[in-house]
């Protein structure tokens, strides 16, 4: 069972809302909405996805990583975490 | 008619693919996929959205902004463009 | 003469302040400051640099790019601008 | 003693190099270098700073955070870490 299990419903709701926002973008394109207005909406979907990613990272550290450190074998988890953080922060 | 009109089909295809990726994320959560694997997929959806945003900006500058400068009234467009670039690059 | 020429003093002042902040970071490391406090300061230097970059882009579009479009040969400038925007926004 | 203590020399060298790059930017402005060339250099200083931040985070997790979890009181450290990660990744 993974970190996000405790917030599975919340996570699912966020992802469904993001799916709706992406469909909204298709509608905007279809209806020839002004470029900058579509771009504003693209930025807000990106922000919502970043928040989902941050929530996953958070739950992962609080549970999976913490528990493996407590069991005395956190090294691989910490290694994996730090490359995930690097990719997540766009490096 | 806006800048992206010339690439409307391509833009729509990208957005449909992104919608599919977001549904894929829901499936991953539903099937209790490992946190870091979901996060990797979140990063790739974010990158796809950033590419869509970049394409919109590009078409906007090449058409809408260029044309208003050519008509001699580009000031407002340039103003609006620069705040869009600032928001897009996360500032 | 380039776009930023009109704001050269302001730009220089910002860069001198950033140089001072980077020296401040060295002092923090030298004095064994707590990691998270150094990181907070790193983030604020990064933000200051991003603001300098945004100012350069802004002046570039308002002058260099606008003027070449007005002269009827903006294509290369627009091309170059858009790859600069892509790199600047971390893509 | 903090996480980065083991790499203090390396960290100092990076920060001195960054200071040199910032002085290089001042020289470029002073010599009226082309905007886009300055911007390219701004991006590379930003990347160097991001690498310093990533190194600090990495050392912090491997030492400070891991050790407090091992001592059984990691909660505050994890809390603090996750807000640092959020700020670092630009959210």
């Amino acid at each position: 069972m993974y970190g996000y299990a405790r917030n599975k419903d919340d996570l699912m709701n966020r992802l469904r809302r993001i799916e709706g926002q992406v469909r909204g973008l298709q509608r905007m394109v279809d209806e020839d909405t002004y470029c900058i207005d579509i771009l504003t909406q693209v930025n807000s979907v990106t922000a919502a996805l970043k928040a989902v990613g941050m929530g996953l990272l958070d739950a992962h550290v609080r549970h999976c990583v913490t528990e493996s450190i407590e069991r005395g074998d956190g090294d691989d988890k910490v290694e994996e975490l730090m490359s995930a953080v690097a990719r997540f922060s766009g490096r």
Side-chain angles (χ1 to χ4, degrees), chain A residues 18-29:
Chain A
I18 291 172
E19 187 192 336
Q21 286 180 299
V22 175
R23 264 201 301 267
L25 284 170
Q26 294 165 16
R27 222 162 19 238
M28 291 176 99
V29 169

Side-chain angles (χ1 to χ4, degrees), chain A residues 6 8 10 23 30 33-35 43 45 51 62 64 75:
Chain A
R6 292 151 189 84
K8 206 164 160 170
D10 172 60
R23 264 201 301 267
D30 194 50
T33 307
Y34 181 47
C35 332
N43 289 339
V45 187
R62 283 177 209 276
C64 317
D75 285 7

Side-chain angles (χ1 to χ4, degrees), chain A residues 25 28-29 32-43:
Chain A
L25 284 170
M28 291 176 99
V29 169
D32 299 312
T33 307
Y34 181 47
C35 332
I36 295 292
D37 295 333
I38 307 185
L39 188 66
T40 301
Q41 183 62 7
V42 167
N43 289 339

